[in-house]
Amino acid sequence: MRRFAPFALLFALTACGDTYTPGPLYQATSADCGTPVDADTFELPRGITVSATNVVPSAEEGIEIGVNYMLPRTTQVQFATKYFQVSQPKGPLLENATVLNVYQRPTNGKAEVVEIVHGMPLTMNAVGTSDHTQLRYRLIIKGKMPQRFDLTPPDVIIGGKRYVSRTFTYRWFEDKQSYGMCR
């Protein structure tokens, strides 16, 4: 019986497996997406999160949006694709957002700019000297935006499995005279 104990333990741990259940993959919960929100966070497996920020005016022509990934120590995320897609609500692609820069910051240290070569880094690694590492992607969208649009980050690969991220929704708020994230 003792010689089967390691196998039983391995089987028990495997049976626990990945109990990840994604939250809603589409941020908007109403047809008009009329409720403004300042930011939204989506949980991925292994304690990894992705969040998007509200739109800010750009020094260049267009608008900027920040997408933040928070990685616990010893985690790694790979992008399955290399585009942050901007589209009509649940509709056709308008453009791929351009990555202006990427900041990497351990929660106990200063932010550092990650060098971008030919588009964007395709792998994110948590640093070993901090409980969490934040990677902030600063995006610019240069095209003329409709009254409402979606931003969909790339699918990610975590532990060899592919996961879909949340689609973040934005709309024009007439009272604020600006775009904002909405539900």
Side-chain angles (χ1 to χ4, degrees):
M1 185 65 154
R2 267 193 214 159
R3 71 183 176 155
F4 294 111
F7 294 112
L9 178 61
L10 180 62
F11 179 72
L13 292 174
T14 305
C16 294
D18 192 5
T19 59
Y20 171 72
T21 303
L25 294 175
Y26 194 69
Q27 180 183 21
T29 56
S30 65
D32 70 344
C33 200
T35 306
V37 292
D38 291 331
D40 189 50
T41 300
F42 181 72
E43 293 184 20
L44 291 162
R46 300 187 183 180
I48 298 166
T49 61
V50 58
S51 60
T53 64
N54 256 319
V55 171
V56 293
S58 175
E60 301 177 29
E61 187 169 327
I63 56 175
E64 291 184 23
I65 296 175
V67 177
N68 301 308
Y69 290 85
M70 188 67 78
L71 284 64
R73 182 179 294 160
T74 73
T75 56
Q76 179 186 58
V77 176
Q78 291 178 293
F79 286 122
T81 59
K82 60 180 183 176
Y83 300 107
F84 289 85
Q85 296 184 327
V86 180
S87 61
Q88 293 281 350
K90 295 184 180 180
L93 178 70
L94 296 170
E95 71 176 273
N96 291 317
T98 301
V99 177
L100 292 176
N101 55 34
V102 180
Y103 292 96
Q104 177 175 313
R105 183 181 73 84
T107 53
N108 63 351
K110 294 186 335 185
E112 298 176 0
V113 176
V114 176
E115 184 175 351
I116 300 173
V117 179
H118 303 295
M120 67 181 212
L122 296 178
T123 302
M124 297 178 281
N125 296 296
V127 299
T129 57
S130 178
D131 289 339
H132 290 87
T133 302
Q134 177 188 36
L135 285 107
R136 178 179 174 83
Y137 287 75
R138 195 172 128 230
L139 310 175
I140 188 164
I141 302 165
K142 295 181 181 179
K144 180 166 174 37
M145 292 291 98
Q147 290 291 316
R148 184 171 157 189
F149 66 92
D150 291 338
L151 172 69
T152 305
D155 290 356
V156 294
I157 299 170
I158 302 169
K161 291 177 74 176
R162 186 176 180 144
Y163 297 94
V164 176
S165 185
R166 168 170 291 155
T167 295
F168 299 99
T169 307
Y170 295 84
R171 71 174 283 235
W172 179 260
F173 286 98
E174 194 63 41
D175 58 332
K176 297 178 183 180
Q177 289 293 296
S178 68
Y179 283 101
M181 192 180 291
C182 61
R183 285 198 196 270

